[in-house]
Amino acid sequence: SPAPSITSQAANDEEREAEGIIREYMENWATSAALATFKELKDTVTHEGANPELWDDVAGHAVYTLLQRGADEDAHFEKVASLLVDMYGLELAPSELIQDSISRLIESFDDFVRDCPNLGRHIGTALGMFVANRVVPLTFASNINLFKHPQIMPALFQTMEGEMGKGQEDVLGVLMNSEFDLIDKVLPTAGPGGCLDYFARLHMDWLFQGAAEKYLRQFINKRVTGSQLREQLCRLHRQPTHPTVAGIVFKAMLDCSLDRDGHGTLPGAVHILDHYAPFLAEIVAAQPVAMRRCLEVVVAFCTKLKFPQGLLSGVFAWLKDHEVVLVEAFRTWMDDPVVKKENPDARTDVMSFIANLPRKVASADDDDWD
């Protein structure tokens, strides 16, 4: 189509020109043509002697209109986001204008979502493409409410995964180790369900593990109380006695006991565990699933360290003595043939611990560990 002829028309006339380009684009989805026409419009608006700020007004209106109408198109929204990435690359849409349009969409989310139920997913998709292609900085993504709708975060991660050619855990590693500051800024803003409820659906318990370990290290260094730790963890999950939380927090405690070289010892583990014994017992709450999870964590921890002498049986004994794991739970776990089959390397330490349990807990099947 011929280049728009704009000389001294008012800004709203030029915005209507931009809307015409958008309408044509959404009829044929011809990206190259849309980019060329937008460039012609910019060249006309920014001709010598024109108001240098005029294009920002026009481009800002175009970006917001593209996002809003693109969301209505639903299936074609990724094409709209891709067009905006190209517009940024051609200096047709500055990052600040794109950020402003995303912020406006989120601020008006409740008004738009009634007509566009997939708006949350579209916002996440756009953010994922913009962050991955460095159209907007990570700090922008961390300063908006990504939990405004449950579709935003999954779409953000999935889109970044595709755009960056990385696995989901690698993408989250980027987000955790950058100015995005996933743990300190984003997770505490999770909705009523709590972040673990959310991330568990994405099989990302390890992320909560990272958050829990970070908080534990902060608290251990300051020697604060278990109640303060509990309060902080409640920011991450509404059910601090959830079995998954118990296992993750216990693993974080053991990981915090490692020395700088990554070595683990029984005195080091006991030093940390003693400080939070009541708290750990509280979140485990004698729940069978939580107690079993704690035992599995010990075995995995010792397996990773190649079974330092006395560590497994010593931590087991600590769990029993502090009534974090009840004797009956040990017996149930040890009687499980799957446990015996999957943990051959734990045989010596487990047998040592069994020998010190009350006699009534032992059974003939205990010989299977020999």
Side-chain angles (χ1 to χ4, degrees):
S1 60
S5 176
I6 299 177
T7 53
S8 58
Q9 296 172 309
N12 59 343
D13 292 331
E14 291 148 348
E15 289 173 356
R16 283 195 289 271
E17 290 281 351
E19 290 177 5
I21 299 173
I22 293 171
R23 280 195 300 272
E24 184 173 347
Y25 170 67
M26 290 186 173
E27 288 174 0
N28 53 36
W29 302 105
T31 301
S32 296
L35 291 171
T37 313
F38 269 124
K39 187 177 185 307
E40 291 173 1
L41 178 60
K42 180 183 178 181
D43 291 343
T44 304
V45 171
T46 59
H47 71 281
E48 186 176 355
N51 183 348
E53 298 180 356
L54 188 57
W55 176 247
D56 282 350
D57 294 336
V58 176
H61 178 75
V63 170
Y64 185 71
T65 303
L66 272 167
L67 288 171
Q68 184 180 358
R69 295 184 182 175
D72 291 336
E73 291 290 335
D74 205 22
H76 297 285
F77 185 80
E78 287 190 24
K79 294 180 180 179
V80 171
S82 180
L83 175 67
L84 288 172
V85 171
D86 291 336
M87 289 178 67
Y88 169 79
L90 294 173
E91 298 184 353
L92 298 173
S95 175
E96 293 77 9
L97 297 181
I98 295 175
Q99 294 175 48
D100 179 68
S101 293
I102 289 286
S103 297
R104 288 171 62 191
L105 265 185
I106 292 179
E107 289 172 4
S108 305
F109 189 92
D110 293 337
D111 295 328
F112 288 128
V113 75
R114 289 192 291 268
D115 297 323
C116 181
N118 290 320
L119 180 61
R121 175 165 58 82
H122 295 326
I123 290 175
T125 297
L127 271 174
M129 295 184 70
F130 296 157
V131 170
N133 290 281
R134 300 185 179 182
V135 175
V136 303
L138 285 166
T139 46
F140 169 72
S142 69
N143 288 326
I144 61 177
N145 185 4
L146 296 177
F147 289 91
K148 178 70 175 179
H149 190 275
Q151 291 181 330
I152 296 179
M153 290 288 275
L156 169 67
F157 290 130
Q158 290 162 9
T159 303
M160 287 187 66
E161 181 181 358
E163 291 288 312
M164 298 172 67
K166 295 179 177 290
Q168 197 170 65
E169 187 166 332
D170 291 331
V171 170
L172 282 169
V174 170
L175 300 183
M176 289 177 68
N177 298 300
S178 66
E179 63 266 35
F180 189 81
D181 207 354
L182 188 65
I183 290 177
D184 283 343
K185 286 186 178 179
V186 179
L187 294 189
T189 67
C195 81
L196 187 58
D197 286 343
Y198 168 77
F199 284 107
R201 292 196 295 273
L202 299 181
H203 307 290
M204 295 178 187
D205 285 355
W206 67 273
L207 179 61
F208 183 85
Q209 155 73 24
E213 182 174 342
K214 181 172 183 176
Y215 287 141
L216 278 166
R217 289 192 184 280
Q218 292 174 349
F219 285 126
I220 288 169
N221 291 337
K222 297 176 183 178
R223 292 295 186 271
V224 300
T225 65
S227 61
Q228 289 173 301
L229 176 59
R230 184 182 190 280
E231 179 181 352
Q232 188 77 349
L233 291 174
C234 280
R235 296 176 62 206
L236 297 177
H237 195 275
R238 61 179 174 179
Q239 298 177 13
T241 58
H242 189 288
T244 304
V245 176
I248 288 174
V249 170
F250 182 50
K251 182 180 185 302
M253 289 180 176
L254 291 179
D255 287 343
C256 285
S257 73
L258 298 174
D259 62 23
R260 292 182 179 179
D261 296 324
H263 300 141
T265 63
L266 181 58
V270 169
H271 174 72
I272 297 298
L273 295 175
D274 279 348
H275 195 65
Y276 293 108
F279 168 69
L280 185 58
E282 179 185 357
I283 63 172
V284 172
Q287 300 173 94
V289 175
M291 291 188 290
R292 181 185 180 94
R293 180 61 186 138
C294 286
L295 299 179
E296 292 170 347
V297 165
V298 177
V299 172
F301 179 73
C302 292
T303 300
K304 182 179 179 180
L305 299 177
K306 298 182 179 179
F307 291 92
Q309 185 175 4
L311 182 58
L312 186 144
S313 58
V315 175
F316 272 11
W318 186 94
L319 291 171
K320 175 181 70 69
D321 294 342
H322 289 80
E323 299 183 341
V324 174
V325 177
L326 304 181
V327 170
E328 181 63 20
F330 280 106
R331 184 187 69 78
T332 301
W333 179 74
M334 292 174 184
D335 284 346
D336 187 339
V338 175
V339 171
K340 297 175 181 178
K341 181 179 179 181
E342 292 183 351
N343 299 281
D345 294 335
R347 184 185 304 113
T348 301
D349 280 342
V350 170
M351 286 301 298
S352 173
F353 178 75
I354 291 174
N356 290 293
L357 281 177
R359 184 67 180 172
K360 64 179 181 179
V361 176
S363 69
D365 292 336
D366 290 338
D367 293 338
D368 292 343
W369 288 89
D370 291 328

